[in-house]
């Protein structure tokens, strides 16, 4: 075989390798998505992607969006803007998934949201509408807002007007509140706050607040909630562990028959 033939073959081989690398690189770049408004009406599954939305994410007509180990990032906007609107259908988050709104914003859930894996919401006020449901199962969920004496304060708020179910999960509140006005069940889970700013925000101090409806707590641990747990709902707690100063129950004047059943619980 001549030297010139060997050179040609090597050049062809190098060219093929270069094209293969370029193709893989192109595929990797295509995995990241940018949207203005993003509307889901069918079924979509995304894994290991960074998805940027400058407008609103809407799930309609029974659509389904499943994000596994993704970062869903919202740019622009203001804290009053609804950036995620699930009118019907479902949003499923699992793996190592983060939902972040750079300028804060709101999420309205009128359908169903299912959370599994390790999921972090940053600067997202979440409303589970009276028609909506939330299921957190086998998850490590972090709700993270912000607080600074030098800037605009923006703790995160999870408000449940419909139904929420937490099972075999951990919930970490980082400058965040959870307010239930519907039905909330927490079973075999732990809830804690890893940051405290020691002041009221919009009239709220308690990190976990059962305003109305029914709250059922079973075989769970509630710790380091600082200003504690406020219950104005019908509360049923069994086999739970609380910080001694955390749990407080108050019957509002419009509901003098408030029920608070606490049995076989430990106060430390």
């Amino acid at each position: 075989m001549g030297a010139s033939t060997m050179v040609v073959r090597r050049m062809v081989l190098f060219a093929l390798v270069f094209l293969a690398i370029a193709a893989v690189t192109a595929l990797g770049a295509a995995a990241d998505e940018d949207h203005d408004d993003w509307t889901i009406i069918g079924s979509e599954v995304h894994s290991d992607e960074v998805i940027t939305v400058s407008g609103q994410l809407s799930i309609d007509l029974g659509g389904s969006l499943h994000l596994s180990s993704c970062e869903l990032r919202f740019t622009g906007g203001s804290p009053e803007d609804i950036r995620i609107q699930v009118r019907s259908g479902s949003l499923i988050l699992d793996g190592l998934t983060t939902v972040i709104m750079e300028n804060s914003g709101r999420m309205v859930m009128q359908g169903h949201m299912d959370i599994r894996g390790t999921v972090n919401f940053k600067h997202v006020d979440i409303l589970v509408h009276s028609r909506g449901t939330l299921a957190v199962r086998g998850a490590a969920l972090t709700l993270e807002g912000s607080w600074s004496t030098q800037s605009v304060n923006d703790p995160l708020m999870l408000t449940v007007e419909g139904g929420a179910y937490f099972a075999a999960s951990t919930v970490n509140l980082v400058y965040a509140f959870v307010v239930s006005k519907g039905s909330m069940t927490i079973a075999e889970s732990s809830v804690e706050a890893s940051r405290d700013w020691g002041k009221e925000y919009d009239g709220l101090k308690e990190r976990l607040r059962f305003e109305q409806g029914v709250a059922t707590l079973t075989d769970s641990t509630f710790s380091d909630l600082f200003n504690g747990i406020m219950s104005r709902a019908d509360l049923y707690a069994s086999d739970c562990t609380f910080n001694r100063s955390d749990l407080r129950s108050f019957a509002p004047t419009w509901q003098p028959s408030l029920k608070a059943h606490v049995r076989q619980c430990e106060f430390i």
Side-chain angles (χ1 to χ4, degrees), residues 244-262:
R244 187 172 299 277
S245 61
D246 272 352
L247 182 61
R248 292 180 288 162
S249 180
F250 293 89
T253 56
W254 64 88
Q255 190 185 0
S257 60
L258 176 80
K259 303 181 184 69
H261 302 279
V262 180

Side-chain angles (χ1 to χ4, degrees), residues 48-93:
D48 301 303
E49 297 182 21
V50 176
I51 302 171
T52 301
V53 180
S54 59
Q56 184 186 78
L57 165 61
S58 300
I59 301 178
D60 295 305
L61 302 176
S64 174
L65 175 61
H66 183 176
L67 301 179
S68 181
S69 294
C70 290
E71 179 180 296
L72 178 59
R73 179 177 291 271
F74 291 82
T75 60
S78 69
E80 293 76 28
D81 293 340
I82 298 176
R83 308 301 301 276
I84 302 176
Q85 178 94 48
V86 182
R87 295 183 178 87
S88 64
S90 61
L91 174 63
I92 302 169
L93 307 174

Side-chain angles (χ1 to χ4, degrees), residues 99-101 104-107 120-127 141-147 153-159 171-179 197 201 204 206-207:
V99 179
I100 181 170
M101 297 187 180
S104 300
R106 299 166 58 204
M107 171 181 181
N120 189 356
F121 284 92
K122 293 185 177 182
H123 314 301
V124 184
D125 282 342
I126 304 168
L127 170 63
L141 173 63
T142 298
L143 303 176
E144 183 176 345
S146 62
W147 180 271
N153 299 312
D154 189 27
L156 184 151
M157 180 85 71
L158 166 61
T159 304
V171 181
N172 185 18
L173 307 178
V174 184
Y175 300 128
F177 297 99
V178 175
V179 178
W197 56 96
Y201 182 78
L204 295 175
E206 295 79 17
R207 300 299 171 263

